[in-house]
Amino acid sequence: MFAHQVHSTWEVFAPAKLNVCLNVLGSRADGFHNLESLLVPVQLYDHLSWSAASTPDSPCTLELASADRTGEKLSSADDNLVLVAAKRLADAAGIEPRGTFRLVKRIPQQAGMGGGSSDAAATLVLANAAWEIGYSRECLAKIAADVGSDVPFFLADGPARCRGRGEIVEPTAGLPPLHFVVVKPPGGLPTAEVFGHWKQHQTEHAEQSASVDSLLANLRQGKLRDAGRGMLNQLQNSASRLMPTITDLLREIESLNPVTCLMTGSGSACFGVARSAVQARQMARRLSGMVEGQVFAVSSC
Ligand code: C5P
């Protein structure tokens, strides 16, 4: 994720992510859960820009716009993670946040695709440049972890194994490009509710964890079918109980014969792993006529 300057405006493209594997290792005393997950950034982007305000003393503001075809309602600008991240960075640097951020949303919300977290990471990168702070990525990652569990991942610029509550990021080199069809059904799932359901029913979760090591080895060796067998999301059962249409959606994706299909993050979006970018686009065309919601063909980046 890099900030570019165009005349007096700075801009960043903020990618979405998919969890190709998500193990929930247990709940913690601080209310979070320990995870082990393999996250892949994908080529579906929000666009964040920043320009100086006309008067230097004006408060820092955020304008929100949606490029979302379903016209899904955007959460209000005030609690948006862009302003939260901007404030945390300014506090750390001992300056006042300033200027106008403009965010054009394409990544569906409450989808498990990391849109809000990616916007927050983009804000840190952009404001670090625009406000001439000059912090290193390591320093930004510490601030990022306070903003949200998935925010540090987006500073890594590539696939990564994430642990802890998500903030311990280990970039994974050497993965081939991956191609996906993604469906975001109407309606989203709040992350806290899905984890809350998992916690309440944790004694019922009999499912084995996926081995991220063997998943990575299979992906690196191009053994996509074996890799697909190792892809698993341990929040999927909880999310499907809260939103039964997820089960129907996965059945629809499965009917198109992907390598495998699963839910991303805490849902509600689900994806099929395709054998090629062409197959991902074919599945997207078919699914557009079969399911309600937004359908995307995306590749990893
Ligand atoms: O960190 P973030 O703000 O994205 O988390 C939102 C909520 O999701 C947390 O308040 C918590 O309830 C839940 N969560 C969790 N364990 C994680 C990440 C998130 O329980 N590892």
Side-chain angles (χ1 to χ4, degrees), residues 29-64:
D30 63 3
F32 285 87
H33 292 76
N34 278 324
L35 309 175
E36 186 188 29
S37 185
L38 180 59
L39 281 82
V40 176
V42 293
Q43 296 173 10
L44 172 67
Y45 300 93
D46 285 349
H47 179 255
L48 181 70
S49 57
W50 177 90
S51 36
S54 44
T55 51
D57 295 339
S58 316
C60 185
T61 55
L62 171 64
E63 292 171 7
L64 285 170

Side-chain angles (χ1 to χ4, degrees), residues 44 66-72 105-109 111 113 181-186 249 269-270 287-288 291-296:
L44 172 67
S66 174
D68 174 5
R69 280 164 295 170
T70 62
E72 221 171 64
K105 293 285 309 168
R106 286 191 182 80
I107 305 171
Q109 301 176 84
M113 299 180 74
V181 62
V182 184
V183 183
K184 161 64 177 50
L249 180 54
C270 296
L287 282 163
S288 299
V291 296
E292 272 192 90
Q294 292 166 282
V295 182
F296 307 91

Side-chain angles (χ1 to χ4, degrees), residues 31-33 35 147-149 165-166 191-192 195:
F32 285 87
H33 292 76
L35 309 175
V147 178
S149 306
R165 63 183 172 87
T191 307
F195 276 105

Side-chain angles (χ1 to χ4, degrees), residues 24 26-28 30-35 81 117 145-151 163-167 190-196 266:
V24 188
S27 49
R28 317 187 334 178
D30 63 3
F32 285 87
H33 292 76
N34 278 324
L35 309 175
L81 285 187
S117 302
D146 280 342
V147 178
S149 306
D150 281 343
V151 184
R163 301 181 217 248
R165 63 183 172 87
E167 86 288 10
T191 307
E193 263 181 49
V194 180
F195 276 105
S266 56

